[in-house]
Amino acid sequence: MKLKEEVKILLFFKEDEMKQIEKRSNRGISGPEWKRRGFIFVFLFPTLLAFCTFYLYPLLTVFFTSFAKWDYSNLTSPEFWGWTNLFNNYQYIFETYPYFWEALRNSVTWALLGIFVQIPISTLIALAFSRKMRGIKLIRNIYIIPCMISSAALGIIFLQLYSPTYGIINPIIHLFNPSFSENILLMKGPAFWAMTGAYIFFTGTTTLMILGNIMAVPEEVREAALLDGASGFVQDFYITIPMIKNTLKTVSILSATAGFLLYNEVYFLTKGAAGTYSISYVIRELAITSPRAQFGRANSVAFLQIIAGMLIIVFVNLIYELPEICSKLRRDRT
């Protein structure tokens, strides 16, 4: 009987509490709650204002003007093409402009190389730097020095390295082909890979981001793995890398988008010669280099570039989630 009475009392208080909650919800948000939300909004407002001013407004401008006639003849007043010729700019880019598909192919290739070449290299270097050995801090600092140089300066440096007159690349090629005297940056095919080599091995930023997360792996986890007989590469592959998967995903997106947006190296090394156009360089050529100042057409390419960036994020997420998806499918089948 006593137990039943205690249960009734508890149920009574529970019902009373639910009634109080229902009354508060009917009254709406209380005064202190409004103050809390207002306090949050006040601090978020400058960031929201900056986002709308420097990101959202330019994005909307790029989108709408990609459907407008906007060139040297109407610099201050873009004209909407009209519904019948809505995709005029895109039609020109896809069908008439001679370098778009070449630029898209190159940019996609550089994005994929960023994911499948640059990130594995960065991860291996970060794993090596995470080892406890004498002089490792000095080696880390030396490795970071080239990453402090701007990409424009690196482009000038590699321009000298590839020079057929006083560069070091042609003498190396002479060892295997004594008759070689061409400028590698003007040869279709080799120029693309020379351009790729000018940036893809400079992995300082991504290496530092990966290294920071490797160093944050709890020491207890490493010790437990050692007790189970996992050490060296086995520990890295089965313990460390899975624990930093989110960081690897982030740096993969950064590396892929950097490759897709490649511009400085193209400008300083080849200016698009020998099949080395990039999407970013196409935008510059349409908007600035072209005597017609084709801003509308340049913005259509820029909008396609934004869409490509979103697709890169989706693609990278799929790559990292694919093992889990496959294992789930195998479990469902069994």
Side-chain angles (χ1 to χ4, degrees):
M1 291 294 293
K2 189 176 180 181
L3 180 62
K4 289 182 179 180
E5 290 177 0
E6 290 178 355
V7 170
K8 286 180 181 179
I9 293 169
L10 287 172
L11 289 173
F12 173 77
F13 281 112
K14 191 69 176 176
E15 289 175 4
D16 186 62
E17 185 181 349
M18 294 300 293
K19 288 178 182 178
Q20 293 294 331
I21 293 172
E22 187 177 354
K23 286 180 182 179
R24 287 198 297 270
S25 63
N26 290 334
R27 286 200 304 265
I29 301 173
S30 62
E33 181 65 18
W34 272 114
K35 289 180 181 179
R36 189 180 71 84
R37 294 191 179 186
F39 186 76
I40 294 172
F41 177 76
V42 167
F43 278 89
L44 283 178
F45 180 74
T47 303
L48 291 173
L49 181 63
F51 174 79
C52 292
T53 305
F54 299 110
Y55 286 93
L56 185 59
Y57 175 72
L59 285 175
L60 293 175
T61 302
V62 166
F63 174 70
F64 287 115
T65 55
S66 69
F67 301 104
K69 180 183 182 298
W70 188 18
D71 55 24
Y72 72 100
S73 63
N74 59 339
L75 288 176
T76 58
S77 55
E79 300 172 10
F80 183 60
W81 277 112
W83 296 108
T84 54
N85 298 313
L86 184 64
F87 296 100
N88 189 292
N89 289 336
Y90 292 92
Q91 186 176 2
Y92 172 82
I93 294 300
F94 291 145
E95 297 178 4
T96 307
Y97 187 71
Y99 301 112
F100 174 75
W101 293 108
E102 173 191 304
L104 182 63
R105 183 181 64 250
N106 291 341
S107 294
V108 169
T109 304
W110 283 321
L112 293 174
L113 288 172
I115 299 171
F116 297 110
V117 175
Q118 193 174 59
I119 296 305
I121 291 173
S122 300
T123 305
L124 290 173
I125 294 172
L127 289 169
F129 284 168
S130 67
R131 299 289 192 266
K132 294 179 181 179
M133 59 181 70
R134 178 181 291 182
I136 194 66
K137 291 183 179 180
L138 177 63
I139 295 172
R140 288 178 199 163
N141 292 330
I142 293 173
Y143 177 77
I144 296 302
I145 289 173
C147 303
M148 299 168 65
I149 304 172
S150 69
S151 57
L154 283 175
I156 297 296
I157 291 171
F158 273 88
L159 186 63
Q160 310 307 314
L161 292 176
Y162 291 136
S163 171
T165 307
Y166 43 81
I168 65 169
I169 301 301
N170 275 36
I172 294 173
I173 297 175
H174 283 160
L175 296 175
F176 305 95
N177 184 5
S179 61
F180 182 82
S181 60
E182 302 291 330
N183 186 340
I184 195 171
L185 294 175
L186 298 178
M187 298 173 63
K188 194 164 185 176
F192 174 85
W193 295 109
M195 179 96 56
T196 304
Y199 89 95
I200 200 165
F201 298 111
F202 291 88
T203 60
T205 304
T206 52
T207 300
L208 282 179
M209 293 177 68
I210 296 169
L211 178 62
N213 276 264
I214 291 174
M215 302 298 283
V217 174
E219 197 63 33
E220 294 81 4
V221 176
R222 300 179 187 276
E223 292 173 358
L226 284 172
L227 290 174
D228 288 338
S231 61
F233 179 76
V234 175
Q235 187 181 114
D236 292 335
F237 189 80
Y238 290 101
I239 305 296
T240 306
I241 291 178
M243 291 189 72
I244 63 169
K245 187 179 78 169
N246 289 331
T247 299
L248 292 176
K249 187 190 299 185
T250 301
V251 296
S252 295
I253 291 171
L254 293 175
S255 181
T257 51
F260 192 82
L261 301 175
L262 198 68
Y263 171 77
N264 282 335
E265 288 79 0
V266 177
Y267 178 79
F268 285 101
L269 290 178
T270 64
K271 290 183 170 53
T276 57
Y277 267 82
S278 68
I279 290 292
S280 297
Y281 196 79
V282 165
I283 295 172
R284 177 190 182 275
E285 187 160 273
L286 286 169
I288 299 173
T289 308
S290 170
R292 295 185 60 193
Q294 303 174 72
F295 295 120
R297 289 168 176 172
N299 281 350
S300 65
V301 179
F303 182 68
L304 293 173
Q305 193 177 54
I306 293 169
I307 298 298
M310 296 177 181
L311 293 175
I312 286 172
I313 294 173
V314 173
F315 178 69
V316 171
N317 277 281
L318 282 175
I319 290 174
Y320 281 90
E321 298 301 327
L322 192 61
E324 293 182 10
I325 295 171
C326 292
S327 62
K328 186 178 179 181
L329 290 174
R330 282 196 296 268
R331 286 196 301 268
D332 292 341
R333 288 177 182 175
T334 57

